[in-house]
């Protein structure tokens, strides 16, 4: 994507921070494309249920906020009924054929759309979140499982 070129590619450490506002499969793409991960502490999850992704460059605070605003085409009552059958567990040949055809059509529409039809991109500056901290591990007194000891490290 264009924003990766602007931010000079993938994050090797914490020089790029990604804030994601949902837990969809799109977050997998954010990790692969940017190198931001929970393990490195530069992927931050905020559960707002929004298809919004903010990328912040350290140390400048330059940011890009990308929000998805693509709308799937309206469906007929028959199509809605087929999706309901699928959601209810119907895996008949007819239903699966319908689902695969509709998914393929949506993918084609997305791939053929202009960027402006799919997303809104806002540039700006953000207050940087603190860098990741590494906490020592201690054993829980109740369950004996290893836990991080916040504030010690």
């Amino acid at each position: 994507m264009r924003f990766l070129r602007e931010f000079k590619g993938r994050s090797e450490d914490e020089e790029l921070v990604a804030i994601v506002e949902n837990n969809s499969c799109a977050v997998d793409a954010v990790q692969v494309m940017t190198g931001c991960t929970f393990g490195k502490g530069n992927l931050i999850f905020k559960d707002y249920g929004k298809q919004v992704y903010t990328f912040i460059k350290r140390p400048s605070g330059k940011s890009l906020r990308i929000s998805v605003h693509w709308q799937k085409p309206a469906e007929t009552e028959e199509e809605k009924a087929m999706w309901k059958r699928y959601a209810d567990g119907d895996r008949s040949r007819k239903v699966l054929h319908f689902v695969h055809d509709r998914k393929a059509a949506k993918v084609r529409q997305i791939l053929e759309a202009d960027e402006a039809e799919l997303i809104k991109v806002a540039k700006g500056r953000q207050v940087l979140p603190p860098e990741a901290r590494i906490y020592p591990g201690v054993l829980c007194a109740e369950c004996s499982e290893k836990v991080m000891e916040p504030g010690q490290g």
Side-chain angles (χ1 to χ4, degrees):
M1 288 196 107
R2 179 175 48 126
F3 75 87
L4 277 180
R5 287 188 294 264
E6 189 167 325
F7 279 3
K8 307 278 190 279
R10 290 172 49 87
S11 181
E12 294 300 320
D13 191 26
E14 291 185 54
E15 63 278 5
L16 181 61
V17 176
I19 301 171
V20 299
E21 299 185 19
N22 67 78
N23 63 355
S24 74
C25 57
V27 178
D28 295 341
V30 167
Q31 291 182 94
V32 169
M33 293 175 68
T34 66
C36 295
T37 67
F38 289 117
K40 288 194 300 192
N42 62 342
L43 178 61
I44 298 168
F45 172 56
K46 298 193 175 194
D47 193 8
Y48 300 143
K50 297 167 93 177
Q51 291 286 327
V52 173
Y53 311 90
T54 302
F55 304 92
I56 310 167
K57 188 73 170 170
R58 288 189 194 275
S60 70
K62 283 185 177 180
S63 68
L64 288 174
R65 182 179 189 271
I66 300 172
S67 59
V68 176
H69 67 99
W70 179 77
Q71 296 292 317
K72 68 179 182 177
E75 295 178 332
T76 66
E77 290 304 315
E78 181 183 350
E79 289 170 327
K80 289 177 187 177
M82 290 294 273
W83 281 116
K84 181 170 180 357
R85 285 176 58 183
Y86 181 75
D88 290 344
D90 183 342
R91 298 301 185 264
S92 66
R93 180 180 218 108
K94 180 180 179 179
V95 170
L96 288 176
H97 182 70
F98 164 82
V99 167
H100 293 296
D101 282 354
R102 291 308 183 273
K103 285 183 179 182
K106 285 179 187 177
V107 168
R108 272 193 310 277
Q109 288 173 332
I110 290 168
L111 291 175
E112 293 171 1
D114 292 328
E115 186 176 283
E117 293 177 69
L118 300 174
I119 60 175
K120 292 180 184 175
V121 179
K123 294 182 180 184
R125 291 204 182 275
Q126 295 268 336
V127 174
L128 287 162
E131 290 188 13
R133 295 196 51 200
I134 299 173
Y135 297 103
V138 296
L139 294 181
C140 174
E142 292 188 31
C143 68
S144 299
E145 292 178 349
K146 192 172 181 179
V147 297
M148 287 189 279
E149 183 179 42
Q152 306 292 317

